[in-house]
Structure formats: structure tokens, C-alpha cells
Amino acid sequence: MSVAVIGAGAFGTALAVTLARVQPITLWARDARDMAAQRENTARLPGVRFPDGLSISAELETALACDVILLAVPMQGLGGFADAHDLTGKTVVACCKGIDITTGRGPSAILHQAQHIAVLTGPSFAADIAAGLPTALTLACADPDVAAHLQQTLSTPSLRLYRTGDVVGAELGGALKNIIAIGCGAVMGAGLGDSARAALMTRGFAEMQRVAATFGADAETLMGLSGLGDLTLTCTSDQSRNYRLGLALGAGADFDTRITVEGAATAQALRKVAQERNLDLPVCNAIAGLVDGTLDMTRAMDHLLARPLKEE
């Protein structure tokens, strides 16, 4: 079975590298010529040599002809990619996390034209995966036979996949934890302390569960790798771009706008969804305000701490 990764950012490159250690993999990249010559992605994942099993291609049709396509493009570009390319009859695995800011849809809804759709999500950093460090992810697919086949195809000695049929729950966990990670970074950047971060993580997780339930997801899914696991990782490590953005917001420091931070757009998209569905999401809404500049840290914390006292 042929496998391609489309998107040569850090995560897409890391997936391609670790998979190519056990099977032939095609990685599509815009700067394929330089990457093929150097056998390294010096811009996104420097210091990681490509294994012999990894082929770099600038021909998108070559990648799209493969049996399994891993789409590692930014979430806000996924809709444009799906509109521009025929995915009918394809087996597509979405490797991005977020909610489309224009449509309010997740990856599986955007890729509806594909024959088989799966979502790969969970606690992972590109550098860890590429280095062959032990990593466990969730593979979500509604078809149990396809899920089992993909699980076998995409697992490696260092990359362990757990499968679930709850696609919506898995992708919401991966999307919403990015918002909370921005908030946790802001708490630490503002010097509010570990106790405040723990409180924000916990109340943020309650909001994640609230949103997931509204969309019919299984509560147990949010307790797994794609929810609680990913939340724990991204809220406590400065390897997370979302957490680093929060650090900058909390400290009043500049942040490199060229860096893709999926949680920033997802926070704006979720605020729209919350308004449409009348969802009470004070933590997520406060973080959306921090991101778009309508709230500063003082006003955001005052707003959250002044809420009426209630049961947990």
C-alpha cells in the first residue's frame, strides 16, 4: 500500500520521516528540490536526516495517486485544498487540528468528498516523532475495518496508534486544547503561577467536554489521548506554538506572526459557534478576546474571577 504525506511543515515532515523508516513514503513539498538535495528539511525540521525510504516530490498528482494520503496542511488552508483537488474515492487522514474560521467545520466535514476519512491527533511534538521517541496518538475513523487497516499501516516501533470511531470527539479534543494552551501560556507569561494554570486547564477542559457533548461526541473520547492527553502536553511545554503565543500575550511581548498558531483562529471560530448554540464558554471566550486584542490580561482575569460562585 502506497502512502503519501502532503504538507512539509514540521509535523508533516516528522510523520514522513518516522514512517519512512519502516516503509516507502512520498512527501510532497513546495521546495522539494532543495529538500531532496539536502535530504533534510532545514527550514522546518533542521538536523533530522531523511531515511532512504523517503521520496520528496513537487508533483502533487504523484502524492494524490497514493492509496493513503496524510494531509498535514494548516487547518485554515484545508478547505481551500479540498476545493481545489478531487479527493473522490481517496483514503484521507487529516493531520491538522482546529475549526475552520469561515465555516465552523472540522477536518472530517471539510473532507467529506473522500471515500474514507480518518483523523490523526493526540499529544505529540514533531521533534519527538522525528527523533523516534515513544509517542502515542489517536486514529479516529468511522469505518472500523478502515480504522484497523490504517492503524496497522501507520504504526511504527516508536509511534503507537490507538483507534476510535468517534471522529468528532477526537478532532474536537485536538482543536479545543489549542485554545486552552494559549490561555495557560498567558497565565504563565503574566506571572500568575502554576496554581492558576492548573485551574485554567481544569475549567478549560470542562468547556471542551461541554462543546463535545453539544456535537454528540462521546465523553470518554475527551478523557483519552486526543483530549486530556493533548491538553496536558500543550499546556505545559514551550515546544507548543499555542503555549508560546500565550506566553507572549501574557507578558506583553511580541510574537512572530509568520508562525502558524492553529489555536488563534480556532478560538475565533469557537466564539462564533458558542454564540450560535448559546454555549457558556467563559474561558474560551476570554482567550479569544486576548487573541484578537479586545481583552488584556487584567480584564480577562477580572472577568473570570468575578463570575458567580457555583458547583464544579
Side-chain angles (χ1 to χ4, degrees), residues 128-279:
D128 293 346
I129 292 176
L133 298 177
T135 304
L137 299 177
T138 295
L139 179 73
C141 182
D143 187 317
D145 293 332
V146 174
H149 187 64
L150 288 173
Q151 183 183 35
Q152 291 294 325
T153 301
L154 302 178
S155 292
T156 75
S158 61
L159 182 63
R160 181 177 177 86
L161 304 188
Y162 289 83
R163 66 179 186 271
T164 178
D166 184 9
V167 177
V168 172
E171 64 184 14
L172 279 175
L176 302 181
K177 61 86 186 177
N178 284 336
I179 303 174
I180 310 305
I182 294 173
C184 286
V187 163
M188 300 308 288
L192 300 179
D194 290 325
S195 297
R197 173 169 56 180
L200 191 74
M201 280 181 64
T202 306
R203 298 312 305 162
F205 185 58
E207 292 188 13
M208 289 171 59
Q209 292 175 306
R210 196 175 305 153
V211 174
T214 299
F215 283 87
D218 186 341
E220 288 298 312
T221 304
L222 273 292
M223 296 300 296
L225 291 166
S226 60
L228 184 59
D230 215 354
L231 179 72
T232 302
L233 182 69
T234 54
C235 289
T236 58
S237 173
D238 59 10
Q239 286 194 66
S240 164
R241 290 170 292 180
N242 295 280
Y243 183 76
R244 292 203 308 272
L245 172 61
L247 284 173
L249 290 171
D254 292 332
F255 186 82
D256 189 348
T257 56
R258 296 171 298 178
I259 298 174
T260 300
V261 181
E262 297 286 19
T266 298
Q268 309 304 312
L270 181 63
R271 183 165 55 187
K272 293 180 183 178
V273 172
Q275 291 170 347
E276 293 168 356
R277 294 178 175 257
N278 196 30
L279 288 171

Side-chain angles (χ1 to χ4, degrees), residues 52-74:
D52 293 340
L54 183 55
S55 299
I56 314 300
S57 177
E59 301 299 324
L60 192 55
E61 292 307 315
T62 300
L64 288 172
C66 289
D67 299 316
V68 176
I69 301 165
L70 277 64
L71 278 180
V73 300

